[in-house]
Amino acid sequence: MSASQSTLKKVLVVEDELQVRENIAEILGFEGFYRTTAENGRIGLQMAKEEIPDLILCDVMMPELDGYEFVQAIRSDPQTTNIPIILLTAKAERTDFRQGMELGADDYLTKPFTLPELRQAIDTQLRKKSMIAEKNQKKFDQMCNTITLSLPNELHVPLQNIIGASGLLIEDWSETPDEEKLELIEAVHSSSQQLYRLTQNFLLYASLEATLANPKKMEEFQKKSSRTKLKEDVEHAVYLEAEVMQRTHDLQLDVQEAVVRISASSLKKVVREILNNAFKFSQPGSKIHVIGLSGFNSYMLHIIDHGLGMNAEQIANLDAYVQFNQKIHELSGAGLGLAVSKKIVELHGGNLIVESEFNRQTSIRITLPILSD
């Protein structure tokens, strides 16, 4: 490909009729596209993988690999799954359109079509692709920027505690009473666990973000989602986190039973992260309410604390896992923990909503689909 061709949008035409194939290729050349052609679906699939075109025009009725099979193959390969596909067909039945769309086609053109119709269909799909790419890049840049700005701050407190406590042990081991040694070792262990939790959450957040950005991966994940009877798992996660934070006496639980579409491990992760924040940002002695209500087709889990609360801007920044009031309270991981929980819930077909009154209370409402027994 020449230097001038490399700047053009590349369109692959997969069409078994020679005259139609050449006509479309000629039109695309006049319209300023770099075009390649294939005489059947099998060759077209190979060319798509080798050249990664910006868009594919594909006939439905072809030998060896028809248009529907071609779409399935393109969508099943990570290299080609996001390439827009416009199917070309002489059939105008609604069932034919529906079949193609369900398999992953982006648009249809019925033969014979005019030049304006072809140009509009191509421009529409390329514009959509550009908008999606721009949105994904913006999210990626935001995530990288957030990591760059927040990661050092998030890691500072536990690292400082580990360095301080271990330094005292090294310098004054022989002079330090056994009771104080144990306290310092426990402090190192606790901060190490906190540091491990933070790094795991950063890695998990990036993985969840990548899955949610890919509709096919998200669909596959949801199809494989586990069925969980949630009452026992929720209560176990709540008490486990409360014991770590030494706040078991502050709990008030009222959790109904239901079968939901989420794995037990994911459910426990969500509950523990939200509880961790509730304990961090409320005073010992103030109540933490965990309420689970089973509805007709959804389950609502409320976790309510009477602590610092968040303002509207802090809630809006949740997806960027911004640590709120970091300078005042020097607590790490709250924004990240909530963001991870939100992504997990969304990945399982639910939603997580934060309602808060600043300096009064925060209510996290999780909604998950209920499954029949």
Side-chain angles (χ1 to χ4, degrees), residues 161-364:
N161 291 340
I162 291 170
I163 293 169
S166 60
L168 288 173
L169 286 170
I170 293 168
E171 291 175 10
D172 301 314
W173 179 265
S174 59
E175 303 292 329
T176 305
D178 289 345
E179 186 176 336
E180 290 184 24
K181 286 179 183 176
L182 181 59
E183 289 179 0
L184 289 170
I185 291 170
E186 287 176 344
V188 170
H189 181 68
S190 176
S191 294
S192 299
Q193 287 184 315
Q194 185 181 4
L195 193 59
Y196 178 77
R197 185 173 192 165
L198 279 169
T199 55
Q200 290 299 302
N201 277 349
F202 270 105
L203 293 172
L204 178 57
Y205 184 91
S207 175
L208 293 168
E209 187 74 18
T211 303
L212 284 164
N214 189 319
K216 186 173 180 61
K217 284 185 178 180
M218 188 171 174
E219 182 182 353
E220 290 175 355
F221 185 94
Q222 289 179 349
K223 285 180 180 178
K224 296 177 182 177
S225 294
S226 305
R227 299 161 59 90
T228 300
K229 277 192 169 184
L230 90 175
K231 179 177 169 63
E232 183 179 346
D233 289 322
V234 168
E235 291 179 347
H236 178 262
V238 168
Y239 279 112
L240 193 60
E241 194 63 34
E243 287 175 2
V244 171
M245 304 298 288
Q246 300 180 353
R247 296 277 300 274
T248 54
H249 295 299
D250 294 339
L251 291 175
Q252 285 193 350
L253 271 71
D254 183 11
V255 181
Q256 296 178 0
E257 184 64 280
V259 178
V260 293
R261 188 197 293 126
I262 188 172
S263 67
S265 59
S266 294
L267 178 62
K268 289 177 181 178
K269 176 67 175 176
V270 168
V271 172
R272 290 198 64 179
E273 289 299 331
I274 295 173
L275 258 293
N276 185 266
N277 290 336
F279 289 131
K280 281 180 178 177
F281 290 92
S282 64
Q283 292 295 321
S286 64
K287 294 299 180 183
I288 305 291
H289 304 270
V290 181
I291 304 167
L293 302 173
S294 181
F296 175 68
N297 58 5
S298 63
Y299 190 93
M300 285 185 291
L301 183 66
H302 301 260
I303 299 176
I304 306 165
D305 71 77
H306 302 279
L308 297 174
M310 290 182 275
N311 59 34
E313 182 181 359
Q314 291 162 349
I315 295 173
N317 284 333
L318 179 58
D319 276 336
Y321 48 77
V322 173
Q323 168 63 51
F324 52 90
N325 294 340
Q326 178 80 37
K327 293 181 180 178
I328 299 175
H329 301 287
E330 294 187 351
L331 296 170
S332 57
L336 177 58
L338 280 177
V340 165
S341 298
K342 188 172 187 290
K343 296 296 181 187
I344 292 174
V345 170
E346 289 174 352
L347 193 54
H348 287 86
N351 59 66
L352 184 152
I353 296 173
V354 180
E355 296 174 339
S356 187
E357 296 179 54
F358 195 55
N359 283 330
R360 186 173 180 184
Q361 75 169 38
T362 297
S363 173
I364 309 292

Side-chain angles (χ1 to χ4, degrees), residues 49 64 78 80-81 100 107 137 140-141 147 149 154 156 171 197 237 254 266 288 319 346 363 373:
K49 292 178 180 181
E64 299 195 43
T80 59
T81 188
D107 199 358
Q137 185 62 47
F140 179 77
D141 291 342
I147 290 174
L149 294 174
E154 297 278 4
H156 178 74
E171 291 175 10
R197 185 173 192 165
D254 183 11
S266 294
I288 305 291
D319 276 336
E346 289 174 352
S363 173
D373 291 330

Side-chain angles (χ1 to χ4, degrees), residues 112-126:
F113 46 81
T114 65
L115 173 57
E117 289 173 337
L118 176 63
R119 184 71 208 220
Q120 182 178 359
I122 291 174
D123 287 346
T124 298
Q125 294 309 318
L126 290 178

Side-chain angles (χ1 to χ4, degrees), residues 13-218:
V13 181
V14 187
E15 167 65 63
D16 64 315
E17 293 186 32
L18 176 61
Q19 192 62 52
V20 175
R21 186 170 69 249
E22 290 182 345
N23 288 344
I24 294 175
E26 186 177 7
I27 290 170
L28 292 174
F30 287 137
E31 290 295 306
F33 293 100
Y34 175 72
R35 69 277 188 215
T36 55
T37 63
E39 59 265 34
N40 60 55
R42 181 182 56 80
I43 296 174
L45 183 60
Q46 185 62 33
M47 293 182 69
K49 292 178 180 181
E50 291 175 356
E51 301 194 15
I52 312 298
D54 295 292
L55 182 137
I56 298 172
L57 295 170
C58 180
D59 188 28
V60 171
M61 304 302 293
M62 294 186 297
E64 299 195 43
L65 197 71
D66 68 25
Y68 301 132
E69 293 168 330
F70 178 84
V71 171
Q72 281 184 303
I74 289 289
R75 292 293 177 248
S76 63
D77 190 326
Q79 280 188 299
T80 59
T81 188
N82 293 320
I83 300 174
I85 302 174
I86 299 175
L87 289 177
L88 311 176
T89 180
K91 302 168 70 176
E93 294 294 329
R94 185 172 182 177
T95 53
D96 297 317
F97 290 120
R98 184 175 180 84
Q99 182 180 358
M101 292 301 189
E102 287 177 349
L103 291 172
D106 296 279
D107 199 358
Y108 256 95
L109 279 175
T110 305
K111 299 176 182 178
F113 46 81
T114 65
L115 173 57
E117 289 173 337
L118 176 63
R119 184 71 208 220
Q120 182 178 359
I122 291 174
D123 287 346
T124 298
Q125 294 309 318
L126 290 178
R127 187 165 56 250
K128 285 182 180 179
K129 181 182 178 182
S130 178
M131 290 172 63
I132 292 171
E134 184 179 341
K135 181 180 178 181
N136 289 340
Q137 185 62 47
K138 186 176 180 181
K139 289 182 72 175
F140 179 77
D141 291 342
Q142 182 187 36
M143 186 170 70
C144 290
N145 185 55
T146 302
I147 290 174
T148 302
L149 294 174
S150 65
L151 186 55
N153 215 23
E154 297 278 4
L155 303 179
H156 178 74
V157 174
L159 278 174
Q160 190 178 45
N161 291 340
I162 291 170
I163 293 169
S166 60
L168 288 173
L169 286 170
I170 293 168
E171 291 175 10
D172 301 314
W173 179 265
S174 59
E175 303 292 329
T176 305
D178 289 345
E179 186 176 336
E180 290 184 24
K181 286 179 183 176
L182 181 59
E183 289 179 0
L184 289 170
I185 291 170
E186 287 176 344
V188 170
H189 181 68
S190 176
S191 294
S192 299
Q193 287 184 315
Q194 185 181 4
L195 193 59
Y196 178 77
R197 185 173 192 165
L198 279 169
T199 55
Q200 290 299 302
N201 277 349
F202 270 105
L203 293 172
L204 178 57
Y205 184 91
S207 175
L208 293 168
E209 187 74 18
T211 303
L212 284 164
N214 189 319
K216 186 173 180 61
K217 284 185 178 180
M218 188 171 174

